[in-house]
Amino acid sequence: MFSNMSVKLCPGLYCGRPRLNLTEGECGVCPRGERTDGEKICRMCVESPELYDWLYLGFMALLPLVLHWFFIEWYSGKKSSSALFQHITALFECSAAAIVTLLVNDPVGMLSIRSCKVQLLSDWYTMLYNPSPDYVTTLHCTQEAVYPLYTIVFIYYAFCLVFMMMLRPLLVKKIACGLGKSDRFKSIYAALYFFPILTVLQAVGGGLLYYAFPYIILVLSLVTLAVYMSASEIQSFRNLVAKKKRLVVLFSHWLLHAYGIISISRLDKLEQDLPLLALVPTPALFYLLTAKFTEPNRILSEGGNGH
């Protein structure tokens, strides 16, 4: 057993020595699935992801699904009966991709993963922290310090794309008879655009998204709910329950509100955090109660009357 004084610590934040070669091993990058400890020795990541880590992965998994649903609805048309089947297919594609992604990650064949704990924002951008001990030679120690939170998202997107190309074209060709030939595959073409965008977003901004995604969920869900209710001219509870689709959209946004609140609170203290979920319906209720006071025609008429 070597003492701490006999081993010179490696420079930089992420350079380490192999665990089985403390004295002769050179400082360098740790193997995948490992990261340095306080003594700059590479240690295998054996921890299970925390709740916040799973919520982050869930957010990244929901992004393509929500975009699929948006473009399917956008291009299907109001009278198309194929939209529901395409929605279900998109859900199946993303669910299957998520399951396969978990199965192929270590430990292989199990619906669980081992991970390294995220400690700093710099853990996501180790390529920016390669040290130069002599100010001439750079010691390259770029690694996945947040294993596997960074690469698992790319694997998931790849499987999503594969399942989509295997299933969706056949389904659309069979059931999308209400659409023109040029419109049938537009939702698939849209996916071929947004998957590269999501990949670049994860590659460049993965660390920022990790810390900001709860607030992104809350803000976007509030904005999209307000836009939808305004565009659908929903100004009362009667308008809201007139169509089942509106209730589905409302409950979907409520789930996103709850997801964002849970992500922010992390449920560290259940007795304090769970009551926050009572705030989920507040934005919709506030909109319904105040919509009649902000109706444009009413404001214009009152302005014309000099009130």
Side-chain angles (χ1 to χ4, degrees):
M1 198 66 164
F2 298 97
S3 63
N4 293 337
M5 297 300 295
S6 63
V7 180
K8 184 179 179 181
L9 295 180
C10 296
L13 291 176
Y14 302 103
C15 296
R17 297 179 185 274
R19 291 175 297 154
L20 302 179
N21 200 6
L22 296 181
T23 55
E24 299 179 2
E26 297 182 354
C27 293
V29 60
C30 291
R32 187 171 187 266
E34 300 183 9
R35 69 169 296 171
T36 57
D37 59 8
E39 299 178 352
K40 299 298 182 180
I41 300 174
C42 296
R43 302 289 186 186
M44 180 174 289
C45 304
V46 294
E47 299 181 5
S48 297
E50 299 178 351
L51 173 63
Y52 188 84
D53 298 332
W54 284 114
L55 291 172
Y56 166 74
L57 293 178
F59 168 73
M60 299 306 294
L62 283 174
L63 283 180
L65 178 59
V66 171
L67 289 173
H68 275 314
W69 284 348
F70 172 80
F71 286 110
I72 288 172
E73 195 67 29
W74 183 269
Y75 290 117
S76 293
K78 296 182 178 179
K79 297 182 179 180
S80 176
S81 59
S82 68
L84 177 61
F85 294 100
Q86 292 187 64
H87 285 315
I88 296 174
T89 305
L91 177 61
F92 173 78
E93 293 165 5
C94 293
S95 301
I99 293 174
V100 174
T101 300
L102 291 176
L103 291 176
V104 299
N105 272 274
D106 196 24
V108 178
M110 299 182 63
L111 294 176
S112 61
I113 56 177
R114 59 180 182 88
S115 68
C116 300
K117 185 178 181 180
V118 180
Q119 301 174 2
L120 301 168
L121 176 61
S122 59
D123 292 347
W124 293 84
Y125 305 103
T126 56
M127 75 289 293
L128 303 177
Y129 294 88
N130 293 321
S132 299
D134 56 1
Y135 300 100
V136 177
T137 304
T138 300
L139 190 59
H140 295 281
C141 299
T142 301
Q143 59 187 284
E144 188 180 8
V146 294
Y147 173 88
L149 301 183
Y150 188 75
T151 53
I152 196 173
V153 176
F154 299 126
I155 298 173
Y156 168 72
Y157 288 164
F159 279 121
C160 281
L161 192 58
V162 169
F163 283 121
M164 183 193 71
M165 297 307 297
M166 289 174 56
L167 301 176
R168 194 85 63 81
L170 297 177
L171 177 72
V172 172
K173 187 175 181 180
K174 290 292 184 180
I175 68 175
C177 301
L179 300 175
K181 292 184 178 180
S182 61
D183 295 332
R184 291 184 181 183
F185 301 100
K186 282 189 175 180
S187 62
I188 300 177
Y189 297 152
L192 297 180
Y193 281 99
F194 69 67
F195 268 119
I197 294 175
L198 291 177
T199 301
V200 173
L201 186 65
Q202 167 68 4
V204 177
L208 299 176
L209 288 174
Y210 179 80
Y211 290 100
F213 82 89
Y215 308 98
I216 294 175
I217 290 176
L218 281 180
V219 172
L220 289 183
S221 61
L222 289 174
V223 172
T224 53
L225 179 60
V227 171
Y228 175 79
M229 297 180 75
S230 176
S232 302
E233 298 182 353
I234 301 174
Q235 297 184 356
S236 65
F237 290 99
R238 182 177 298 178
N239 298 139
L240 181 61
V241 300
K243 296 182 179 180
K244 294 181 180 179
K245 180 180 177 180
R246 294 177 178 178
L247 292 176
V248 172
V249 173
L250 177 64
F251 290 138
S252 300
H253 280 82
W254 281 1
L255 289 176
L256 291 177
H257 296 345
Y259 196 97
I261 292 174
I262 292 174
S263 301
I264 292 175
S265 65
R266 305 192 185 192
L267 297 181
D268 293 330
K269 298 180 180 179
L270 289 178
E271 65 278 3
Q272 296 181 8
D273 298 334
L274 284 181
L276 293 175
L277 296 179
L279 299 173
V280 167
T282 302
L285 295 176
F286 178 81
Y287 180 92
L288 293 175
L289 293 174
T290 59
K292 59 183 179 181
F293 301 111
T294 59
E295 211 282 320
N297 294 331
R298 177 178 178 178
I299 296 176
L300 292 175
S301 64
E302 290 181 354
N305 296 330
H307 295 292

